[in-house]
């Protein structure tokens, strides 16, 4: 039967005024002040009348949900007995019949006796159907509210807000600690942690029938005393579920159970604490929360003694709420694990911190496209090279997924390996292009690779389909560098071209991905022009010939993004060129002869005297003699010797032999093999790097 009247699921105020048994339907009206307070408490809850029609409760209920209490089958031709009295003279609906009954002397003398087989008043039947429709609408609205939660807290909050006060006066939600993820098998004891509580405020409680209307005091809620939000006073926050105990037995049963059941009466004190006052009768429901694999928690629904007790159909409602909450918790846990893995993957594929090589200062920023999709293919890197140089890399793999991030990680690793070989920038891009083709036919990426030399104050740049860099000069003028765009990595069969440009001291180079300058509201070149203007304006805020601080400059650059401009990931790498003054550099070419070691010691001693570093003379002469001797022994072309004075003293010896030296323990009968041992003992750091023309062996000594 379809009724046109649409009402809410019974609230505490309505339930207190509605009789639960048969007989005359009379109710004393609640005081006016109490009704107004209850309405104010309910105003914040969603009205089921505003929600679309809910699906059928029977179809939505789980298979193992308990059925409503069975009613004895009536005799043929009789309607079920409801226990309610039917006034005399009530009309029977058309099309229905009931067995004849002995007629009293006066048919209008009074109501039919309670318990008569056909005693069901049309108003009572309409009331039952209305309440059933209210339950359907409530379940539909509540499950939609629970399903809207993305993370764990939102899901649990949705259950609490949907249940109180429309279904219960108070609720406590417990979740397993720790929560299992997917098919993981929990280890350790079965622990439940109180995740959240919610209750009807004290001022919304209906007044007792004998209360003084002039009394303005509040009627406290005995179930949960006043408490901070999320903490139940007197209720333990962590409960260990003992195997074979009452609580374990109830949770194993999966189905919601009334609080007056013998097992539940023993289980509730484990959850609520032994001192918790629990109303007698069917005013508590314990509903296990079962996920896809196992029980992951429990929910306790409570009603005041002055409110109507739970009915049999309310177990179906509790089962629906528990089922949807458990599935939402499972979804939130899986989503949280995936987000954690994505964050870790992205973090490990980007540098934890940038190196600070000599002659250049670096800063970076990385912004994902959205908090819900924190993985992407954008990356940046700074790789120290021999001779005090540094390679600056920015790239962008097409797409926003775990696959794009994985490809990005492989390309970044390849770029680091190629940089260690000291290949020219165009050769690095060529090998990256070959690597992308080996990864797949649709693995496309853009990349810009630059090498800065602080001694020569020059920079060599090669581009593979990437937006051009912008340089901010010391005088505050910003320009877009003219570099051949080239084809993206992964196209194949394309030659890349490198350009060598000046990199004066005090200039700042910005490398970025297209997410900074391109969006649905502007094209790439419009964004690049806005970036150039932003750099010029920012430089004008400082004194003339004083470059702005690098970290605040990166933040200012990101301000060009409007509210709707975050369509793509953003990687930003800024390099401030400080350079190494020529007065701090000593450089020589030496012929590979027997006298070269003695000549190298003399030249190093003179440089140290000029720099007032005579305290390092003995150590430098010994180490230079050992390294130069090894180079002269195998070299066929002139070797190079260079000393750099920065925060440390760095010595570099280069030759045309590609084999790298190896540290080994010399035997007592060996004539050689002790040179690198001395270098390893006396130098703060040392190393050897293979170049395209040979190798460089270097060591560093701390300043006195």
């Amino acid at each position: 039967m379809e009724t046109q009247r649409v009402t809410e699921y019974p609230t505490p105020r309505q339930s207190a005024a509605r009789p639960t048994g048969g007989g005359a339907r009379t109710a004393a009206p609640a005081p006016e002040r109490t009704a107004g307070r209850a309405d104010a408490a309910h105003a914040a809850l969603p009205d089921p009348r505003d929600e679309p029609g809910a699906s059928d409760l029977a179809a939505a209920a789980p298979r193992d949900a308990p059925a409503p209490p069975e009613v004895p089958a009536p005799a043929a031709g009789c309607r079920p007995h409801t226990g309610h009295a039917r006034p005399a003279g009530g009309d029977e609906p058309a099309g229905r019949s009931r067995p004849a009954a002995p007629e009293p002397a006066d048919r209008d003398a009074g109501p039919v006796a309670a318990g008569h087989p056909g005693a069901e008043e049309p108003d009572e039947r309409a009331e039952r159907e209305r309440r059933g429709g209210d339950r359907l609408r409530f379940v539909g609205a509540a499950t939609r509210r629970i399903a809207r939660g993305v993370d764990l807290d939102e899901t649990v909050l949705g259950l609490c807000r949907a249940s109180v006060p429309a279904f219960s006066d108070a609720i406590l939600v417990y979740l397993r600690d720790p929560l299992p993820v997917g098919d993981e098998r929990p280890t350790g004891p079965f622990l439940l942690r109180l995740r959240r509580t919610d209750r009807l405020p004290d001022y919304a409680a209906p007044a007792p029938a004998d209360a003084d209307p002039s009394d303005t005091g509040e009627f406290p809620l005995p179930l949960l005393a006043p408490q901070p939000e999320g903490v139940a006073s007197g209720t333990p926050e962590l409960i260990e579920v003992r195997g074979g105990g009452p609580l374990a037995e109830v949770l194993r049963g999966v189905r919601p159970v009334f609080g007056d059941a013998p097992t539940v009466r023993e289980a509730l004190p484990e959850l609520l604490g032994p001192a918790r006052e629990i109303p007698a009768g069917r005013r508590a429901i314990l509903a296990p929360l079962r996920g896809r694999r196992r029980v992951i928690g429990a929910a306790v629904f409570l009603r005041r003694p002055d409110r109507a007790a739970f009915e049999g159909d309310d177990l179906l409602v509790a089962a629906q709420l528990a089922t949807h909450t458990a599935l939402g918790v499972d979804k939130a846990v899986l989503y949280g694990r995936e987000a954690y893995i994505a964050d870790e993957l992205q973090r490990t594929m980007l540098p934890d911190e940038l190196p600070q090589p000599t002659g250049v200062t670096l800063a970076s920023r990385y912004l994902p496209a959205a908090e819900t999709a924190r993985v992407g293919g954008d990356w940046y890197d700074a790789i120290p090279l021999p001779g005090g140089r540094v390679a600056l890399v920015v790239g962008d793999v097409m797409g926003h997924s775990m696959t794009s991030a994985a490809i990005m990680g492989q390309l970044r690793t390849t770029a680091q390996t190629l940089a260690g070989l000291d290949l020219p920038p165009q050769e690095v891009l060529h090998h990256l292009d070959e690597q992308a083709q080996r990864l797949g036919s649709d693995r496309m990426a853009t990349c810009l690779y630059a090498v800065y030399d602080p001694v020569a104050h020059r920079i060599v740049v090669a581009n593979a389909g990437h937006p051009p860099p912008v340089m901010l000069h010391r005088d505050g003028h910003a320009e877009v560098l003219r570099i051949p765009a080239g084809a993206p990595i992964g196209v194949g069969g394309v030659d890349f071209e490198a350009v060598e440009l000046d990199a004066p001291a005090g200039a700042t180079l910005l490398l970025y991905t297209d997410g900074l300058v391109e969006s649905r509201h502007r094209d790439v070149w419009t964004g690049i022009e806005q970036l150039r203007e932003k750099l010029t304006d920012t430089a004008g805020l400082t004194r003339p010939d004083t470059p702005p601080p690098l970290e605040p400059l990166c933040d200012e650059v990101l301000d060009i993004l409007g509210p709707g401009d975050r369509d793509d990931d953003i990687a930003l790498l800024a390099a401030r060129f400080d350079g190494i003054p020529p007065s701090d550099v000593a450089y020589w070419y030496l012929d590979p002869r027997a006298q070269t070691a003695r000549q190298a010691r003399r030249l190093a001693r003179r440089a140290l005297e000029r720099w007032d570093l005579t305290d390092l003379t003995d150590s430098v002469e010994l180490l230079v003699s050992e390294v130069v001797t090894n180079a002269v022994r195998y070299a066929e072309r002139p070797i190079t010797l260079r000393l750099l004075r920065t925060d440390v003293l760095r010595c570099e010896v280069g030759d045309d032999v590609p084999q790298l030296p190896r540290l080994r323990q010399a035997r007592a009968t060996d004539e050689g093999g002790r040179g690198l041992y001395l270098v390893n003992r006396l130098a703060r750091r040392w190393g050897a790097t293979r170049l395209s023309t040979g190798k460089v062996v270097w060591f560093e000594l701390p300043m006195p």
Side-chain angles (χ1 to χ4, degrees):
M1 172 178 179
E2 180 179 1
T3 177
Q4 299 299 323
R5 183 182 178 187
V6 179
T7 58
E8 291 183 316
Y9 192 73
T11 62
R13 177 169 53 86
Q14 296 166 341
S15 298
R18 181 179 300 138
T20 58
R25 299 175 63 251
T26 60
E32 181 178 352
R33 60 181 181 88
T34 305
R37 291 175 179 177
D39 291 340
H42 301 161
L45 293 171
D47 191 345
R49 291 174 292 182
D50 299 332
E51 301 284 352
S55 59
D56 184 70
L57 179 60
R63 292 183 179 180
D64 54 358
E70 295 183 359
V71 179
C78 295
R79 288 197 306 272
H81 169 57
T82 62
H84 297 287
R86 176 181 181 274
D91 295 331
E92 188 72 13
R96 303 201 180 200
S97 62
R98 56 188 177 88
E103 297 184 0
D106 187 357
R107 302 183 61 179
D108 298 331
V112 179
H116 191 277
E120 181 177 13
E121 179 181 359
D123 290 345
E124 293 292 341
R125 185 168 60 254
E127 175 69 11
R128 291 170 58 86
E129 293 176 354
R130 183 188 65 79
R131 295 177 65 182
D134 288 344
R135 285 190 176 93
L136 288 176
R137 283 184 287 274
F138 166 75
V139 170
T143 54
R144 282 190 293 273
R145 184 164 190 171
I146 295 171
R148 284 198 295 265
V150 176
D151 59 16
L152 196 61
D153 292 332
E154 290 180 355
T155 302
V156 176
L157 178 62
L159 171 64
C160 294
R161 291 294 184 259
S163 302
V164 178
F167 182 68
S168 62
D169 293 327
I171 183 174
L172 298 96
V173 182
Y174 299 82
L175 294 180
R176 192 160 187 163
D177 187 21
L179 278 169
V181 181
D183 295 331
E184 292 182 357
R185 297 185 62 86
T187 58
F190 187 172
L191 299 177
L192 289 178
R193 181 176 295 277
L194 179 61
R195 187 74 185 191
R196 189 177 182 89
T197 67
D198 203 352
R199 67 190 183 100
L200 187 67
D202 294 339
Y203 60 77
D210 57 350
D212 184 1
S214 62
D215 183 12
T216 58
E218 296 178 350
F219 299 95
L221 179 65
L223 303 172
L224 296 174
Q227 65 209 351
E229 184 177 1
V231 178
S233 177
T235 299
E237 293 189 21
L238 191 64
I239 303 101
E240 181 176 355
V241 181
R242 296 176 288 104
L247 182 56
E249 292 297 327
V250 175
L251 296 181
R252 185 179 297 112
V254 177
R255 300 178 180 180
V257 188
F258 285 123
D260 60 351
T263 307
V264 180
R265 282 200 302 267
E266 299 177 6
L268 282 178
E270 294 188 41
L271 286 176
L272 306 181
R276 173 69 60 215
E277 179 184 355
I278 304 173
R282 292 187 172 183
R283 288 182 169 84
I285 293 179
L286 176 56
L289 304 180
R290 181 175 180 82
R292 293 179 176 85
R293 296 290 184 272
R294 58 190 63 85
V295 173
I296 59 175
V300 181
F301 303 93
L302 300 170
R303 283 186 180 178
R304 288 189 178 91
D306 50 23
R307 182 177 178 179
F310 289 112
E311 300 178 1
D313 290 343
D314 290 329
L315 290 179
L316 294 177
V317 175
Q320 286 293 298
L321 298 179
T323 298
H324 286 271
T325 301
L327 294 179
V329 168
D330 266 354
K331 176 186 68 176
V333 171
L334 289 174
Y335 172 79
R337 174 61 63 88
E338 291 180 358
Y340 171 78
I341 294 174
D343 286 342
E344 287 297 303
L345 177 64
Q346 191 74 49
R347 185 185 63 82
T348 55
M349 290 185 178
L350 295 175
D352 291 334
E353 58 181 11
L354 291 173
Q356 297 298 332
T358 302
V360 62
T361 305
L362 302 173
S364 64
R365 296 289 186 273
Y366 178 82
L367 295 178
E371 288 298 324
T372 56
R374 287 173 279 207
V375 293
D378 292 19
W379 91 90
Y380 62 89
D381 212 343
I383 309 167
L385 299 178
R389 297 170 302 151
V390 59
L392 308 174
V393 190
V394 169
D396 182 5
V397 177
M398 297 182 183
H400 305 280
S401 63
M402 299 287 284
T403 302
S404 301
I407 296 173
M408 176 268 287
Q410 297 183 65
L411 293 180
R412 178 174 178 254
T413 302
T414 303
Q416 290 178 331
T417 303
L418 296 173
L421 299 177
D422 200 24
L423 299 178
Q426 64 272 22
E427 290 295 326
V428 172
L429 295 183
H430 174 73
H431 289 291
L432 285 177
D433 179 65
E434 292 181 340
Q435 174 68 6
Q437 293 180 66
R438 285 191 291 268
L439 294 176
S441 58
D442 56 346
R443 308 309 187 195
M444 305 286 290
T446 63
C447 182
L448 191 143
Y449 188 93
V451 176
Y452 170 65
D453 189 343
V455 177
H457 296 274
R458 304 283 289 177
I459 185 170
V460 182
V461 187
N463 192 6
H466 206 76
V470 180
M471 181 175 288
L472 176 62
H473 293 274
R474 192 184 188 94
D475 59 0
H477 169 65
E479 67 168 332
V480 181
L481 300 184
R482 298 182 177 275
I483 301 172
I489 291 174
V491 174
V494 179
D495 292 332
F496 300 97
E497 182 180 354
V499 177
E500 186 172 358
L501 304 170
D502 290 330
T508 304
L509 184 69
L510 263 72
L511 310 179
Y512 52 90
T513 55
D514 58 357
L516 180 65
V517 294
E518 184 182 19
S519 70
R520 69 188 69 176
H521 305 296
R522 60 184 177 183
D523 57 67
V524 174
W525 291 107
T526 301
I528 293 175
E529 181 60 24
Q530 292 180 3
L531 173 60
R532 189 192 65 79
E533 294 175 355
K534 184 66 174 181
L535 290 175
T536 302
D537 295 341
T538 304
L541 301 177
T542 60
R543 293 181 300 174
D545 296 334
T546 302
L550 201 57
E551 294 289 344
L553 178 63
C554 292
D555 295 331
E556 289 292 330
V557 166
L558 295 179
D559 285 343
I560 69 173
L561 297 171
D565 289 348
R566 290 284 300 279
D567 299 331
D568 197 358
D569 303 331
I570 298 173
L572 174 66
L573 179 63
R576 171 71 46 77
F577 299 141
D578 301 321
I580 299 177
S583 58
D584 292 337
V585 181
Y587 193 87
W588 302 278
Y589 283 95
L590 305 176
D591 293 330
R593 298 179 302 175
Q595 301 83 1
T596 300
R598 183 177 60 184
Q599 181 185 5
R601 291 196 297 270
R602 183 175 67 252
L603 295 174
R605 183 171 58 252
R606 291 178 180 177
L608 295 178
E609 292 174 354
R610 185 170 67 252
W611 292 335
D612 194 19
L613 296 175
T614 54
D615 293 345
L616 299 177
T617 300
D618 293 341
S619 298
V620 171
E621 286 188 353
L622 175 60
L623 298 182
V624 165
S625 178
E626 292 295 336
V627 176
V628 170
T629 299
N630 289 337
V632 168
R633 178 176 301 177
Y634 304 104
E636 297 180 357
R637 296 189 179 90
I639 65 174
T640 59
L641 172 63
R642 184 165 72 169
L643 298 178
L644 301 176
R645 184 184 64 169
T646 57
D647 54 340
V648 296
L649 180 68
R650 182 184 178 96
C651 176
E652 300 174 350
V653 176
D655 58 54
D656 60 347
V657 180
Q659 286 77 17
L660 299 180
R662 180 171 56 89
L663 181 64
R664 61 184 180 89
Q665 187 70 33
R667 294 174 296 182
T669 57
D670 290 342
E671 296 182 0
R674 298 175 178 83
L676 286 181
Y677 179 77
L678 293 174
V679 174
N680 185 62
R681 294 286 295 179
L682 298 179
R684 190 185 72 170
R685 291 198 312 155
W686 76 278
T689 304
R690 182 179 286 108
L691 307 177
S692 57
T693 57
K695 70 175 182 294
V696 168
V697 180
W698 56 271
F699 63 85
E700 292 178 352
L701 294 173
M703 288 293 186

